[in-house]
Amino acid sequence: MGIEKHKNNNVKDLTAFWIFGLANNFAYVIMLSAADDIIRSQSKRENDHNNTTNISKQCIEDIGKPRCEKYMSTGAVLLADILPAMIIKYTMPFFMNRIPFGFRHLLVCSLQAASYLVVAFSPNIQVSLFGVVLAAMGSGLGEICYLALSSHYAKSTIASWSSGTGGAGIAGALAYAILTEPKFFDMTPRNALLLMLIVPIVFAITYWSLLTPVTTVHRMNLFKMSTWAVPVQTG
């Protein structure tokens, strides 16, 4: 029995996969763009709280010397934004074949929304890094999820997805820069991150409202437990 696919270049499907690519990588890009702000805002708060340095011992900035402020390196944010995604992509394909796409999509959107909220309201750097990890997990899971989903649609959806992921780099960095730039909107990093919550909302709506349902994709019914797992295919 052949696998049913959408052979026609359905505009709705192409648009949906473009949004998938954009939204899936958006939080990842935002966390990279906000890395310095995340570190500085939290570390400065801790330094101010513990600061007992005499004013006569003020440090003079010099690129050839250690930094005056003992901030954690932004490399910590970069690692938190990369390693979890790599682990997810290396391991999850072996375990997720019976998880319905609808639940995977809900999980990806939830992880992204949670990452914005955790980082925005974080009381310390450790919690902020945990928020970054959530964004990375969502991005990694989404990448393997939507690429697998594209096999049920026209081949052109892959190109649409790729275009969206590329657009995320520009759109995410540009959006954060404009929102926090003093000459533009001059928003605090917290308010900028909270405004970004619109992305996972649009992300979630796209799957259930814009993407054309196909019979080859198992549909989960929240009120029927028997549909909560993809049936095992035999033969």
Side-chain angles (χ1 to χ4, degrees), residues 136-162:
M137 291 174 63
S139 176
L141 179 61
E143 188 166 328
I144 55 178
C145 171
Y146 302 113
L147 286 175
L149 181 63
S150 68
S151 66
H152 298 272
Y153 292 85
K155 291 182 179 180
S156 53
T157 55
I158 290 288
S160 187
W161 155 271
S162 300

Side-chain angles (χ1 to χ4, degrees), residues 45 116 119-122 176 187-195:
R45 187 184 307 171
Y116 291 128
V119 175
F121 294 107
S122 167
Y176 187 81
M187 296 177 66
T188 63
R190 170 179 291 181
N191 290 338
L193 289 171
L194 292 177
L195 185 60

Side-chain angles (χ1 to χ4, degrees), residues 2-11 13-14 150-157 212-214 216:
I3 299 177
E4 178 186 350
K5 297 182 180 180
H6 273 17
K7 296 297 183 181
N8 60 319
N9 292 338
N10 190 303
V11 175
D13 294 338
L14 293 177
S150 68
S151 66
H152 298 272
Y153 292 85
K155 291 182 179 180
S156 53
T157 55
T212 305
V214 291
T216 54

Side-chain angles (χ1 to χ4, degrees), residues 96-167:
M96 70 175 194
N97 59 311
R98 297 204 62 196
I99 303 175
F101 279 108
F103 181 78
R104 299 184 210 176
H105 180 68
L106 179 62
L107 182 58
V108 171
C109 296
S110 299
L111 285 170
Q112 290 204 0
S115 71
Y116 291 128
L117 291 171
V118 169
V119 175
F121 294 107
S122 167
N124 54 55
I125 190 63
Q126 290 78 16
V127 175
S128 292
L129 290 178
F130 174 67
V132 176
V133 167
L134 293 178
M137 291 174 63
S139 176
L141 179 61
E143 188 166 328
I144 55 178
C145 171
Y146 302 113
L147 286 175
L149 181 63
S150 68
S151 66
H152 298 272
Y153 292 85
K155 291 182 179 180
S156 53
T157 55
I158 290 288
S160 187
W161 155 271
S162 300
S163 175
T165 58

